[in-house]
Amino acid sequence: MNTHPNHLGYRTGEPVRDTKAPSGPVAGRWDARRFEAKLVNPANRRKYTVLVVGTGLAGGSAGATLAEQGYRVVQFCYQDSPRRAHSIAAQGGINAAKNYRNDGDSVHRLFYDTVKGGDFRARESNVHRLAQISVEIIDQCVAQGVPFAREYGGLLDTRSFGGVQVSRTFYARGQTGQQLLLGAYQALSRQMSAGNVEMHPRTEMLDLIVIDGRARGIVVRDLVTGDVDTYFGDAVVLATGGYGNVFHLSTNAKNSNATAVWRAHRRGAYFANPCFTQIHPTCIPRSGEHQSKLTLMSESLRNDGRIWVPKARGDDRPPAQIPHEERDYYLERAYPAFGNLVPRDIASRAAKNVCDEGRGVGPGGQGVYLDFADAIARMGREAVEEKYGNLFEMYGRITAEDPYTTPMRIYPAIHYTMGGLWVDYDLQTTVPGLFAIGEANFSDHGANRLGASALMQGLADGYFVLPATLGDYLARHSHEDVPENHPAVGEAVDSVNSRLQSLLSVGGDRSPESFHKELGELLWDECGMARTDTGLRKALERIPSLREEFWRRVSVPGTGEQLNQSLEKANRVSDHLELAELMCLDALHRTESCGGHFREESRTPQGEARRDDEEFSYAAAWEHTGTGAPPVLHKEDLVFQYVHPTQRSYA
Ligand SMILES: Cc1cc2nc3c(=O)[nH]c(=O)nc-3n(C[C@H](O)[C@H](O)[C@H](O)COP(=O)(O)OP(=O)(O)OC[C@H]3O[C@@H](n4cnc5c(N)ncnc54)[C@H](O)[C@@H]3O)c2cc1C
């Protein structure tokens, strides 16, 4: 390892390797791994306790399946019910290579689209496994009774999402996440009733307990009583979702946060590609200074809605008065093969560009139209209502405009995080015994996630991958109780208590929310849709001083021995203030543009994103060395044997 930090402020360590992915033909790797994995005898499974943090689609499906297999599961979430996890918000659908439409889809095509869509920054082995498992997920969910939309003949219906030319997205109106989560929750409830899952809602994990190099427990706080407690197990699974809320304004649920993954990172789990965040092109534009949340309009709307802005700058006529020939359907013009269904990164940048040119619509010119007039004329209002009714209703309620008669206004917003804890093919982090699944890990989407593939990944991880790989880890470590008086336990509990106490005792004059907002605005400006060397350096200068100010001026009323949402918020913001710095450093070091990471300095002569495969064909796995201390970068080289990196083209 280079012992001195380089000019950007980090050190370079040994490369990191995924030692679990088998070699051989990609289509056989998952079978090979499952066959090589050691098994735990069914009668022995009840001796093992697995702690699962999170009850969204990833955690819910994992908890239910592991309990069904016979393990003892102890599970946690901070909501009042496991079925209120953020996954419930997912609208548009879930991909699967079923090829029910006979439109040329296949496992290989889903694999190809996902590697290409991720701009060649994901592992082939993982993505191929994901495509294979996608077909099993639909069968699993249908068997559970998930009410996917069906077409007239009774077959499951599908629609298209960005970055693909087939129709492979299964959906349940605009409530796909909710219906899938109810399916997982039913399975979980059954295990809770059977006594195989011990559920702890309104309980927040605040630290990881590592004993002799292995994850053996967690420290949690009961959000109602304030009690700080410990739980022990043979393995810990983090299914704690993404960190998009570091930006303050995002489409994520207000409570989504990075605390679990960040605290695990502080205990030794590498954090991969933190700067790979996804901006979603179809969100309702921000309406004012005091807004605390953004709302997504599902990508499925791009199946039938047409995106346009006026051709002339500053044209502020109402949309109905702008004649067809004076409109610029800029996606259809620039990308005729994919039209309005280009991938999210491309659609987002194009929207930003037309707004930067002064052709944006709505207040402040920060919006583009998503227009259903043609679809209504073609299909009739009733058919549009049937397909998208609840989304239209939501838009109408939020904006007080009628999207059936006036085009929707949309603008890009932070939506998803492709970065997360580094995991190997088994979904194990660099801390043995600590696994990360769903949006919490970095595994399958590279630099840009294609629509409808997060639900696919979360459920693949929870229902299929983890239940097959976790047993291998457990079988290799005999079951033994954790010595509860181990110094590592005391140290973790003390560190949680002292952090909470510090937050309560600052007694400052600024709310946690105000720090969060300032940090979010800084990140959106400098590490958002477009990034520059100068801007990222500016952010890297400001974040440590904002952090210092936070610990000097934050105001947290109340005590720790009660329900105290200010304390919860301040604790989460304190982690955001550390994670944000790593995100900016990761963005600064990656001087290429790829996927959702658009470096202004790295463009083709046509102004499109320019990747640099020579220098950056790797996942960046960062090791923590202390707050504010230079982190260590471990590179995992990416090898492409099947989908060869090319300049992405959707024209
Ligand atoms: C508005 C919206 C619409 C979307 N639509 C789609 C779509 O149509 N298709 C698609 O594929 N993807 C979609 N996505 C993305 C997708 O919903 C998410 O990526 C996915 O649901 C994440 O699931 P998860 O199980 O990993 O995490 P989550 O659902 O976020 O669950 C996290 C769980 O972890 C718990 N948790 C977190 N931290 C702690 C802690 N410290 N202690 C205890 N518990 C903790 C929470 O309580 C929760 O139970 C959408 C996202 C948004 C925001």
Side-chain angles (χ1 to χ4, degrees), residues 238 240-241 243 257-266 269 271 421 440:
L238 297 187
T240 50
Y243 53 91
N257 67 83
T259 289
V261 288
W262 188 253
R263 306 247 168 134
H265 175 58
R266 290 165 61 107
F271 207 117
L421 292 184

Side-chain angles (χ1 to χ4, degrees), residues 53-60 76-79 81-82 84-95 161 169 176-177 181 200 203-206 220 239-242 250-253 255-261 280 293-296 298-299 344 414-416 437-440 449-458 572:
V53 188
T55 57
L57 283 174
F76 308 83
C77 68
Y78 52 66
Q79 286 91 353
S81 156
R84 298 185 68 138
H86 156 66
S87 289
I88 206 161
Q91 301 173 346
I94 174 167
N95 288 331
F161 263 54
T169 305
T176 316
L181 192 59
H200 297 268
T203 305
E204 183 163 26
M205 168 191 162
L206 296 182
V220 301
T240 50
S250 89
T251 62
N252 286 197
N255 270 341
S256 296
N257 67 83
T259 289
V261 288
H280 198 299
K293 167 94 185 73
L294 291 172
T295 305
L296 173 77
S298 165
E299 177 164 317
R344 292 174 178 181
I414 294 290
H415 178 65
Y416 182 87
I437 60 176
E439 195 174 337
R449 176 176 69 83
L450 289 182
S453 48
L455 302 185
M456 171 172 71
Q457 184 224 329
R572 294 168 187 168

Side-chain angles (χ1 to χ4, degrees), residues 119-418:
D119 220 353
F120 305 95
R121 292 293 173 264
R123 279 185 202 140
E124 282 192 335
S125 304
N126 285 56
V127 178
H128 198 279
R129 173 176 69 187
L130 181 67
Q132 286 173 306
I133 292 176
S134 72
V135 293
E136 298 173 48
I137 296 172
I138 300 301
D139 296 344
Q140 162 86 4
C141 296
V142 169
Q144 284 174 338
V146 170
F148 283 122
R150 288 177 185 266
E151 51 182 36
Y152 184 72
L155 274 184
L156 296 187
D157 197 12
T158 50
R159 53 192 178 195
S160 298
F161 263 54
V164 302
Q165 288 175 307
V166 294
S167 185
R168 66 160 73 102
T169 305
F170 294 78
Y171 65 100
R173 284 187 97 195
Q175 312 166 339
T176 316
Q178 179 174 0
Q179 299 305 332
L180 292 170
L181 192 59
L182 288 173
Y185 179 68
Q186 282 177 117
L188 195 58
S189 295
R190 178 167 168 270
Q191 296 302 328
M192 283 155 63
S193 311
N196 302 330
V197 173
E198 179 186 306
M199 181 62 67
H200 297 268
R202 304 195 89 172
T203 305
E204 183 163 26
M205 168 191 162
L206 296 182
D207 212 344
L208 177 74
I209 299 172
V210 181
I211 295 179
D212 300 332
R214 287 164 52 200
R216 295 304 311 273
I218 59 176
V219 184
V220 301
R221 177 169 180 269
D222 181 317
L223 297 181
V224 180
T225 63
D227 288 347
V228 170
D229 214 341
T230 48
Y231 288 86
F232 303 105
D234 299 287
V236 178
V237 179
L238 297 187
T240 50
Y243 53 91
N245 271 356
V246 65
F247 286 87
H248 185 246
L249 284 184
S250 89
T251 62
N252 286 197
K254 277 283 288 169
N255 270 341
S256 296
N257 67 83
T259 289
V261 288
W262 188 253
R263 306 247 168 134
H265 175 58
R266 290 165 61 107
R267 292 281 174 198
Y270 293 179
F271 207 117
N273 301 334
C275 82
F276 285 174
T277 50
Q278 177 164 85
I279 319 276
H280 198 299
T282 56
C283 303
I284 300 180
R286 183 176 168 174
S287 66
E289 262 305 289
H290 299 291
Q291 193 159 340
S292 60
K293 167 94 185 73
L294 291 172
T295 305
L296 173 77
M297 297 314 297
S298 165
E299 177 164 317
S300 60
L301 294 167
R302 286 200 272 144
N303 271 272
D304 291 301
R306 297 183 69 195
I307 294 176
W308 64 275
V309 288
K311 280 187 178 159
R313 277 169 208 204
D315 184 344
D316 56 4
R317 286 175 290 173
Q321 289 174 20
I322 303 179
H324 201 266
E325 56 286 1
E326 291 178 40
R327 300 173 177 189
D328 183 9
Y329 293 87
Y330 56 90
L331 290 177
E332 296 173 27
R333 172 174 55 76
Y335 307 100
F338 284 74
N340 293 297
L341 280 174
V342 289
R344 292 174 178 181
D345 55 333
I346 291 177
S348 296
R349 269 199 300 282
K352 179 178 186 299
N353 289 344
V354 293
C355 293
D356 289 352
E357 285 163 23
R359 297 196 288 138
V361 299
Q366 297 291 293
V368 301
Y369 289 127
L370 176 64
D371 194 344
F372 284 82
D374 287 353
I376 291 172
R378 191 179 71 246
M379 307 155 58
R381 177 174 164 145
E382 229 172 75
V384 171
E385 230 172 291
E386 197 173 305
K387 244 175 145 174
Y388 307 114
N390 67 318
L391 300 172
F392 275 53
E393 187 187 331
M394 191 165 81
Y395 183 87
R397 283 196 191 168
I398 292 175
T399 61
E401 289 170 14
D402 176 9
Y404 290 102
T405 53
T406 312
M408 291 182 182
R409 283 175 298 106
I410 51 165
Y411 194 69
I414 294 290
H415 178 65
Y416 182 87
T417 46
M418 282 77 68

